[in-house]
């Protein structure tokens, strides 16, 4: 039913939008529904009416324009004022998030609601549902980190969940990043410096690399663990050599391994020739997209060590 | 007689589109615009409308001015927009750098003129709250094409400027769209004073304020009507104790996520309005206007550096191309604060922790994974194949190929080896590459700017593989009939990707000659066009260098006003 025909809204004088012509910029051919609803929203926001009908109207507006930054804040205020059932709000949010998976404001609102509810019950199922739509949705992953901190979920199967997602898609960089957060993001934990954790994480990344050596995510993860643990990159040399031989240029299975080897040899005295060779293989054969970069690295190498490259 | 977008655009008729009067119809408008068909990337600060397909019927209902406008006096008797004269000068044939299609300036100009002079289709309703961003992309796109003054009258440009100023709040800053302007109801009825408490639901919006200032600059406005003092007083109030910025201030509370895009916009607004003046502002009652805490902002950004050398929105969040751009930029627009690259050698608290890893991360975003099928095929596939390693066709031994390019890359590998693997026909023959925003994601037009812009600011844009990037933008993401750029290869265009596609192309510039390098005057530099015939872009502000150059005169005027009044 149109708002203008609805007895519940009969007392409201719609407050139409003045678009500011002539020649307004980015004028939109609004849908009929939006054109009808917005003047009612404006009228009750001007009155700061905090009522059930206002709540219903914000729902209608959000469905058409989820990026409306004040309508979300207005809705939050109404919810608190009416002491509304926040469980119901979560159910509505679940549907809305599915309909607008890339909307930004919705996650801010969800934080507010779940924080006020004080419970993460049902959130795991909701996240799984969102990941089925897109397992790399940035908002969902950011929200998941917030949940872990807010409800102390560090030991509640999160690590296992990243393993499962990486079994499904070993190239899901979001899942790799979440794992790094779980291992290192907890203030009171030693993280990768803890007993056994470093070894576990190195093995986890190495196993993933052996599955798919050209996958950049676990290579970055492995380097991240090394940095965090204070291990020298040179400790990675034998592992990197599993995927790249500098003696036999046909035996290279990962450009990322070459990259690591170039950096290791570049930092070693008297090994500039090996580093140069690795950069040349990258530039000329194994990673031509970044040829300019590898040649630049090669040049930096020569200057950096003050030794002419072989 | 004008008969609809499809015929018009396909026949390349020189007839200009006009905003239609009520009652006239335009069907098949779906082809007019395509607001971001698949929202795969996170649209930093400008989320685009959801899925909108060719087959879905979105009848365009044209209205005079905007549909929500009621008081007829405010706009209703608006005559139909005059048919635009587009006796467009034929673009000069740009010198060809490579084998990619040339930039069809005429078609792209028409695309942006459609966005400027006709209603955006109903699917943009979900971006109603981003009207100022959409306005910025439209005006800035025409400016880069050199088509703004040629296709608009001085009166129209003044109307656009007035429209932007109508979004300014008496208490400083701009709202992002007319929808929150509740008119006189915001004025205290008893005292007629502007009462901030009554602005509860009509707050100034930080990104909108940056876009307003940038668009005004492009339109040639002198910023004389900007409430500079109020805006500069409002700005620090949006900063949180951790250094980050929010989007709005509602009932004294900073609202919006912790997102570096807000920090970027704050740095941009501060740069434009504070300008060359270091620290305190003199004269015109501007003394004692507090500044934002730049050190805290930089600390906040450094905390968001990720283990792989990228930058995210918060500690431990995933590295993201656009966020890395914003963070590269945030502290830099002020001349009194050197860019982080320089700063890292002089001031330890500023700049990136590990610039070489960030450079590595940024350049790793260039990819041959350019179609969604390339991307989705990596799922559930745990071994390296041609389907999963699109950047490694030359050495992964595949069983099948997702693309002709992949097949050719692989089949020609021996030939290329014999040719020594360099130059044309060698292993450098990567035909199309784009930029993605995160590891193992498909290339997206907007990241050609976000990542390209960050590299430009780091002084390393020369490391990009330019021919394949240009070829991807011009052959694959530019729309051959409608003009504009889509998000992915073969997508229909939307205004956000269309502008950032042009911006990315502009950054690619052309071959810099010795004469270019020796140009003494900056004015000459901005007059020169890029190899694609675009105005050169200032990556930090994401507007043409020419538009940014106008700031100098504005600052000088403010200085002299200060001196005369102080």
């Amino acid at each position: 039913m149109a708002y203008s025909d609805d007895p519940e809204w009969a007392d409201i004088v719609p407050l139409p939008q003045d678009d500011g012509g002539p020649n307004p910029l980015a004028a939109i051919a609004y849908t009929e529904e939006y054109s009808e609803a917005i003047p009612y929203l404006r009228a009750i926001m001007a009155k700061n009416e905090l009522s059930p009908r206002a709540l219903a109207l914000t729902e209608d507006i959000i469905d058409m324009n989820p990026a409306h930054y004040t309508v979300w804040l207005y809705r939050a205020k109404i919810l608190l004022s009416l002491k509304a059932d926040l469980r119901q709000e979560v159910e509505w949010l679940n549907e809305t998030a599915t309909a607008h998976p890339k909307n930004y404001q919705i996650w801010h609102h969800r934080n507010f609601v779940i924080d006020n509810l004080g419970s993460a019950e049902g959130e795991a199922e909701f996240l799984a549902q969102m990941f089925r739509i897109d397992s790399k949705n940035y908002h969902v992953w950011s929200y998941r980190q917030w949940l872990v901190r807010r409800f102390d979920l560090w030991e509640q199967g999160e690590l296992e969940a990243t393993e499962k997602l990486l079994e499904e898609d070993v190239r899901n960089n979001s899942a790799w990043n979440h794992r790094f957060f779980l291992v290192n993001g907890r203030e009171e934990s030693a993280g990768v410096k803890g007993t056994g954790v470093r070894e576990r994480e190195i093995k986890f990344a190495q196993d993933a690399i052996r599955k798919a050596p050209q996958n950049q995510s676990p290579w970055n993860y492995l380097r991240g663990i090394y940095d965090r643990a204070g291990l020298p990159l040179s400790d990675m040399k034998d592992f990197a050599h599993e995927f790249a031989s500098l003696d036999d240029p046909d035996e290279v299975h990962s450009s990322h391994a070459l990259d690591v080897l170039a950096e290791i040899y570049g930092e070693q005295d008297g090994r500039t020739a090996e580093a140069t060779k690795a950069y040349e293989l990258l530039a000329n054969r194994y990673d031509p997209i970044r040829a300019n970069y590898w040649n630049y690295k090669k040049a930096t190498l020569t200057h950096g060590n003050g030794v002419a490259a072989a | 007689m004008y008969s609809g977008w499809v015929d018009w655009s396909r026949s390349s008729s020189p007839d200009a589109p006009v905003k239609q009067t009520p009652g006239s119809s335009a069907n098949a408008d779906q082809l007019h615009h395509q607001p971001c068909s698949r929202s795969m990337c996170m649209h930093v600060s400008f989320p685009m409308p959801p899925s909108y397909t060719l087959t879905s019927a979105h009848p365009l209902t044209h209205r005079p001015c905007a549909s929500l406008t009621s008081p007829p006096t405010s706009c209703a008797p608006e005559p139909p927009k005059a048919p635009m004269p587009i006796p467009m000068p034929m673009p000069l044939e740009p010198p060809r750098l490579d084998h990619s299609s040339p930039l069809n300036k005429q078609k792209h100009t028409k695309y942006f003129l459609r966005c400027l002079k006709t209603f955006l289709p109903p699917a943009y309703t979900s971006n109603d709250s981003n009207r100022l961003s959409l306005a910025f992309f439209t005006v800035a796109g025409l400016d880069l094409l050199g088509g703004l003054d040629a296709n608009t009258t001085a009166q129209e440009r003044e109307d656009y400027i007035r429209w932007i100023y109508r979004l300014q709040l008496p208490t400083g800053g701009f709202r992002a769209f007319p929808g929150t302007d509740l008119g006189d109801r915001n004025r205290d009825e008893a005292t007629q004073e502007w009462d901030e408490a009554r602005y509860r639901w009509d707050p100034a919006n930080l990104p909108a304020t940056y876009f307003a200032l940038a668009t005004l600059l492009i339109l040639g406005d002198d910023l004389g009507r900007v409430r500079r003092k109020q805006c500069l007083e409002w700005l620090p109030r949006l900063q949180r104790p951790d250094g980050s910025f929010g989007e709005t201030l509602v009932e004294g509370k900073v609202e919006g996520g912790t997102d570096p895009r807000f920090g970027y916009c704050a740095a941009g607004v501060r740069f434009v309005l504070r300008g060359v003046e270091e620290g305190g502002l003199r004269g015109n009652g501007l003394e004692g206007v507090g500044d934002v805490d730049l050190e805290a902002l930089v600390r906040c950004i450094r905390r968001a550096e990720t283990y792989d050398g990228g930058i995210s929105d918060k500690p431990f969040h995933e590295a993201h191309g656009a966020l890395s751009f914003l963070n590269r930029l945030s502290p830099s627009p002020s001349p009194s604060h050197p860019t982080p690259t320089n700063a890292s050698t002089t001031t330890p608290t500023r700049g990136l922790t590990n610039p070489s890893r960030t450079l590595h991360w940024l350049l790793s975003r260039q990819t041959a994974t350019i179609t969604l099928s390339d991307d989705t095929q990596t799922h559930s596939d745990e071994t390296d194949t041609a389907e999963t390693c699109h950047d490694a066709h030359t050495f992964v031994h595949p069983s099948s190929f997702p693309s002709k390019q992949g097949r050719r890359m692989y089949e020609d590998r021996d030939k290329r080896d014999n040719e020594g693997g360099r130059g044309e026909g060698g292993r450098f023959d990567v035909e199309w590459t784009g930029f993605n925003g995160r590891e193992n994601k498909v290339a997206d037009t907007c990241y050609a700017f976000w990542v390209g812009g960050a590299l430009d600011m780091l002084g390393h844009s020369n490391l990009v593989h330019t021919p394949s990037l240009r070829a991807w933008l011009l052959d694959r993401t530019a729309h051959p009939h409608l003009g504009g750029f889509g998000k992915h290869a073969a997508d229909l265009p939307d205004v956000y990707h269309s502008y950032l596609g042009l911006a990315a192309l502009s950054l690619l510039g052309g071959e810099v000659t010795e004469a270019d390098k020796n140009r003494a005057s900056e004015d000459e530099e901005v007059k020169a066009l890029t190899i694609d015939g675009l105005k050169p872009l200032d990556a930090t502000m994401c507007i043409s260098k020419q538009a940014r150059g106008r700031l100098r005169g504005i600052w000088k005027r403010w200085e002299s006003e200060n001196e005369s009044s102080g």
Side-chain angles (χ1 to χ4, degrees):
Chain A
M1 188 193 290
Y3 289 95
S4 54
D5 299 333
D6 190 338
E8 199 193 344
W9 291 90
D11 62 308
I12 295 291
V13 180
L15 178 59
Q17 172 174 319
D18 181 348
D19 218 41
N23 294 314
L25 286 171
I28 298 168
Y30 297 123
T31 58
E32 294 295 343
E33 296 77 13
Y34 190 72
S35 301
E36 219 261 327
I38 281 285
Y40 283 89
L41 176 78
R42 290 163 46 78
I44 56 166
M45 280 180 99
K47 290 167 46 171
N48 196 31
E49 179 180 306
L50 308 174
S51 65
R53 72 175 177 184
L55 192 68
L57 178 55
T58 60
E59 193 171 316
D60 197 16
I61 297 290
I62 285 168
D63 197 38
M64 296 183 275
N65 176 12
H68 196 308
Y69 50 88
T70 53
V71 89
W72 283 103
L73 302 175
Y74 180 46
R75 185 177 176 88
K77 194 172 170 84
I78 298 171
L79 286 171
L80 286 182
S81 162
L82 299 180
K83 298 191 171 53
D85 178 5
L86 294 181
R87 274 284 150 218
Q88 216 173 316
E89 182 71 357
V90 174
E91 276 172 37
W92 172 74
L93 270 178
N94 289 353
E95 289 169 28
T96 309
T98 316
H100 306 282
K102 291 293 176 173
N103 173 258
Y104 178 80
Q105 280 84 3
I106 197 171
W107 298 99
H108 194 55
H109 188 73
R110 194 177 187 96
N111 276 19
F112 156 81
V113 173
I114 299 293
D115 195 34
N116 273 277
L117 265 175
S119 158
E121 199 190 325
E123 290 305 275
E125 291 75 21
F126 166 71
L127 291 177
Q129 181 192 335
M130 292 305 292
F131 286 139
R132 274 195 293 277
I133 301 171
D134 176 6
S135 61
K136 299 174 181 180
N137 184 317
Y138 202 88
H139 302 301
V140 183
W141 283 105
S142 300
Y143 175 69
R144 186 172 186 154
Q145 285 201 12
W146 175 82
L147 276 180
V148 168
R149 278 193 202 283
R150 168 69 177 80
F151 297 102
D152 194 20
L153 305 176
W154 303 94
E155 308 288 339
Q156 307 293 315
E158 281 294 293
L159 211 56
E160 293 75 9
T162 65
E163 268 164 45
K164 187 161 170 289
L165 279 163
L166 289 172
E167 263 170 39
E168 285 170 13
D169 180 6
V170 75
R171 291 173 181 78
N172 184 343
N173 195 62
S174 304
W176 281 104
N177 186 76
H178 192 66
R179 190 174 178 96
F180 198 86
F181 158 73
L182 293 171
V183 171
N184 298 295
R186 201 174 174 183
E187 279 78 8
E188 64 274 21
S189 124
V192 79
K193 289 170 187 143
T195 323
V197 176
R198 184 178 78 183
E199 291 71 20
R200 183 191 71 198
E201 291 310 303
I202 289 175
K203 184 174 184 305
F204 185 81
Q206 287 183 341
D207 288 349
I209 291 170
R210 288 193 177 102
K211 274 191 200 172
Q214 191 51 28
N215 176 12
Q216 57 194 317
S217 292
W219 282 102
N220 283 334
Y221 186 86
L222 187 59
R223 288 195 60 150
I225 295 293
Y226 267 60
D227 286 348
R228 191 96 183 170
L231 292 172
L233 191 64
S234 54
D235 284 10
M236 215 190 280
K237 188 157 78 178
D238 289 346
F239 177 72
H241 267 304
E242 285 182 30
F243 310 96
S245 161
L246 296 178
D247 302 325
D248 185 355
D250 287 332
E251 284 302 312
V252 173
H253 305 286
S254 169
S255 67
H256 308 301
L258 274 181
D259 180 9
V260 167
L261 288 173
E263 195 163 332
I264 291 170
Y265 285 122
E267 286 166 1
Q268 271 181 287
D269 286 340
R271 306 302 292 268
T272 317
E274 280 97 332
T276 302
K277 188 158 192 182
Y279 283 133
E280 283 172 352
L281 281 170
L282 282 164
N284 299 338
R285 183 162 173 181
Y286 288 109
D287 192 23
I289 293 175
R290 273 159 285 281
N292 294 339
Y293 176 60
W294 302 125
N295 286 326
Y296 158 81
K297 292 292 281 183
K298 191 176 84 170
T300 320
L301 195 67
T302 313
H303 296 306
N305 291 1
V307 182
Chain B
M1 179 58 197
Y2 164 69
S3 63
W5 297 115
V6 181
D7 295 345
W8 169 74
S9 54
R10 289 213 169 133
S11 64
S12 297
S13 150
D15 292 343
V18 295
K19 267 185 188 164
Q20 300 199 336
T21 49
S24 62
S25 67
N27 39 25
D29 180 71
Q30 303 90 298
L31 280 177
H32 172 190
H33 294 284
Q34 174 70 354
C36 193
S37 59
R38 298 178 205 86
S39 296
M40 292 286 288
C41 73
M42 187 177 93
H43 290 290
V44 173
S45 93
F46 339 108
M48 286 291 126
S51 181
Y52 180 63
T53 63
L54 268 177
T55 48
S56 65
H58 280 273
L60 180 66
T61 44
H62 286 282
R63 302 175 180 89
C65 234
S67 56
L68 306 175
T69 308
S70 82
T73 48
S74 70
C75 76
E78 189 201 1
K81 308 255 171 156
M84 276 183 304
I86 314 192
M88 291 255 302
M90 283 301 290
L92 295 174
E93 190 65 32
R96 299 292 294 277
L97 270 187
D98 44 63
H99 54 276
S100 58
S101 320
L103 177 72
N104 190 331
K105 279 178 74 177
Q106 203 170 4
K107 281 223 163 72
H108 288 288
T109 303
K110 281 182 182 170
Y111 175 80
F112 283 102
L113 282 174
R114 283 201 295 282
C115 295
L116 182 69
K117 301 210 176 190
T118 76
F119 286 100
L120 296 166
Y124 278 87
T125 297
S126 60
N127 268 295
D128 187 27
S129 329
N130 298 318
R131 285 272 297 275
L132 248 177
S133 326
L134 301 176
F136 167 79
F137 298 132
T138 306
V139 172
L142 268 180
D143 179 45
L144 278 192
L145 286 159
L148 188 58
D149 288 354
N151 295 292
T152 56
T153 63
Q155 182 57 52
E156 281 173 321
R157 291 194 293 279
E158 179 54 30
D159 289 344
Y160 303 148
I161 288 168
R162 273 197 206 142
W163 183 82
I164 295 169
Y165 277 120
R166 274 180 57 102
L167 296 175
Q168 187 175 213
L169 286 142
T171 45
F174 292 72
R175 53 178 80 84
F177 69 126
T180 62
D181 181 357
L182 304 177
D184 286 343
R185 290 173 194 238
N186 280 328
R187 202 185 278 274
D188 188 280
E189 283 157 20
T191 63
Q192 285 297 303
E193 292 280 303
W194 292 107
D195 175 1
E196 197 165 343
R198 296 180 66 85
Y199 277 92
R200 185 181 285 119
W201 305 121
D202 186 20
N205 179 291
L206 183 50
T209 301
Y210 177 71
F211 285 124
L213 295 174
T215 313
L216 288 170
L217 270 180
I218 297 168
L219 287 166
D221 181 65
D222 66 358
L223 307 187
R225 284 165 273 181
V226 173
R227 296 191 180 96
R228 195 171 155 222
K229 176 170 184 276
Q230 288 90 333
C231 189
L232 285 170
E233 283 172 342
W234 163 72
L235 200 57
R237 296 174 62 203
L238 285 170
Q239 191 167 23
R240 301 188 184 92
D242 69 356
S244 71
F245 278 81
E247 177 181 31
T248 55
L249 202 59
V250 175
E251 296 186 314
K253 191 166 169 247
V254 177
E255 297 285 359
T258 53
D259 190 322
R261 67 196 183 175
F262 302 140
Y264 162 68
C265 291
V269 171
R270 178 191 179 276
F271 173 61
V272 171
L273 294 185
R274 209 163 256 272
V276 288
E277 295 157 70
E278 174 78 46
L281 293 159
R282 290 174 296 121
N284 285 344
L286 293 177
E287 302 91 341
V289 172
D291 200 356
V292 302
D293 187 346
L294 280 182
E295 293 288 341
L297 175 60
V298 175
R299 278 198 303 275
C300 169
I301 292 164
R302 288 181 54 143
R303 281 198 303 274
E305 289 176 326
T306 54
Y307 63 84
D308 49 11
I311 300 170
S312 69
D313 60 343
K314 246 185 164 172
F316 290 106
H317 284 193
E318 189 180 0
H320 189 282
L323 304 181
S324 294
F325 165 83
L326 296 170
N327 286 328
R328 291 290 311 117
L329 181 52
S330 289
S332 73
S334 164
S336 62
H337 293 272
T339 64
T341 332
N342 303 330
S344 63
T345 57
T346 52
T347 321
T349 56
R350 293 212 180 108
L352 298 161
T353 307
N354 192 341
S356 76
R357 285 306 290 169
T358 300
L359 180 64
H360 184 279
W361 187 86
L362 287 168
L363 287 164
S364 298
R365 304 282 56 76
Q366 193 165 11
T367 177
T369 304
I370 57 170
T371 70
L372 282 175
S373 61
D374 288 346
D375 185 46
T376 52
Q377 284 185 35
T378 68
H379 199 73
S380 301
D381 194 340
E382 295 170 4
T383 54
D384 285 336
T385 68
E387 285 81 1
T388 57
C389 295
H390 308 288
D391 299 342
H393 294 302
T394 54
F395 61 96
V396 169
H397 298 241
S399 53
S400 65
F401 298 91
S403 66
K404 280 183 191 164
Q405 184 185 11
R407 177 177 290 279
R408 200 162 58 235
M409 290 296 291
Y410 185 72
E411 289 174 352
D412 292 351
R413 58 207 289 274
D414 293 337
K415 191 172 142 218
R416 284 193 298 270
D417 277 350
N418 294 337
E419 287 168 358
R422 280 204 69 102
E424 285 290 318
R427 287 199 186 277
F428 282 90
D429 187 18
V430 182
E431 194 167 3
W432 297 300
T433 67
F435 276 96
N436 59 21
R438 291 182 267 158
E439 278 104 312
N440 291 327
K441 297 270 282 182
V442 66
D444 174 334
T445 301
C446 66
Y447 294 112
F449 168 74
W450 293 119
V451 179
L455 286 168
D456 186 72
M457 283 180 271
L458 281 167
H460 284 302
S461 50
N462 58 326
L463 299 182
V464 171
H465 192 268
T466 305
S468 58
L469 179 61
R470 175 181 274 113
W472 172 67
L473 287 168
L474 292 173
D475 298 347
R476 305 298 301 273
T477 76
H479 199 282
H481 303 301
L482 300 171
F485 291 79
K487 175 183 172 70
H488 300 303
D491 277 358
L492 287 169
D494 66 80
V495 66
Y496 165 79
H497 290 97
S498 295
Y499 179 60
L500 292 187
L502 282 186
L505 268 183
S506 176
L507 281 179
L508 296 184
E511 285 171 327
V512 182
T513 63
E514 280 308 305
D516 289 328
K517 286 182 190 158
N518 294 333
R519 275 205 183 98
S521 155
E522 218 179 296
D523 292 336
E524 276 184 52
E525 184 199 334
V526 301
K527 276 181 205 151
L529 297 184
T530 70
I531 201 98
D532 294 301
L534 295 170
K535 289 186 187 175
L537 187 86
D538 178 84
T540 53
M541 286 193 72
C542 196
I543 59 177
S544 67
K545 285 186 177 175
Q546 187 185 41
R548 174 175 169 159
R550 294 183 188 128
L551 272 177
R552 271 172 296 174
I554 290 168
W555 291 338
K556 211 173 265 179
R557 196 188 76 233
W558 282 340
E559 277 282 294
S560 62
E561 284 171 6
N562 286 346
E563 277 161 23
S564 58
S565 67

